[in-house]
Amino acid sequence: RTVAAAERRDLVPRPAVLWAALRLFAAFAPIVVIKVLLPLRLLALVDGNDARASDWLGRINASANAASLLTTCLLCSSSDVYGRRFALAVVSGGVFLDALACAAAPTPTWLLVGHTVAYFLGGSTWSLLALSFSAVGDLLATS
């Protein structure tokens, strides 16, 4: 019976793993909110015109994805040098800038520019995903 209890205890994640997961979830939650609110904000900026909103959303996503492609690799390699916390702070700053740009943009053009700049600064889902895989890999390598 004690062997079974010890085996169950081994299945429970260490506190470091739980804290890392909580931090990554806390950083990821605003990205989900932005992804939901961006099309709604864009629709409000084009006065409810679905065709124009769809066209602008395509442009915004294309430019943001290009920016994300460039910065995700740089962020992950710099997180190896400067640490995961530094990279997570950069991504969180980019997410904050993205939320600010989404809320304050007076026109779709400003929304495009703000969203792209935020993704250049690392505020993308892909950056966070890559960092989370790196952090989990670090934790598993030590166990």
Side-chain angles (χ1 to χ4, degrees), residues 14 17 133-143:
R14 294 188 332 252
V17 174
F133 289 149
S134 299
V136 168
D138 292 346
L139 287 170
L140 292 177
T142 60
S143 56

Side-chain angles (χ1 to χ4, degrees), residues 61-116:
N61 285 335
S63 65
N65 288 337
S68 178
L69 179 68
L70 293 173
T71 57
T72 299
C73 297
L74 291 173
L75 263 173
C76 287
S77 62
S78 69
S79 75
D80 291 338
V81 176
Y82 299 108
R84 305 284 184 238
R85 288 183 186 205
F86 167 76
L88 191 58
V90 169
V91 169
S92 297
V95 169
F96 175 76
L97 182 65
D98 195 14
L100 194 62
C102 184
T107 65
T109 304
W110 277 104
L111 187 59
L112 172 87
V113 170
H115 197 63
T116 304

Side-chain angles (χ1 to χ4, degrees), residues 7 31 57 60 66 69 118 120 126 135:
E7 287 175 358
I31 291 176
L57 189 60
I60 289 170
L69 179 68
F120 264 122
W126 296 113

Side-chain angles (χ1 to χ4, degrees), residues 33-64 98-116:
V33 171
I34 290 169
K35 293 293 183 186
V36 170
L37 294 181
L38 180 66
L40 297 174
R41 175 70 176 135
L42 190 56
L43 194 59
L45 288 176
V46 295
D47 297 324
N49 186 335
D50 287 339
R52 282 187 61 209
S54 178
D55 181 48
W56 273 106
L57 189 60
R59 291 180 201 172
I60 289 170
N61 285 335
S63 65
D98 195 14
L100 194 62
C102 184
T107 65
T109 304
W110 277 104
L111 187 59
L112 172 87
V113 170
H115 197 63
T116 304

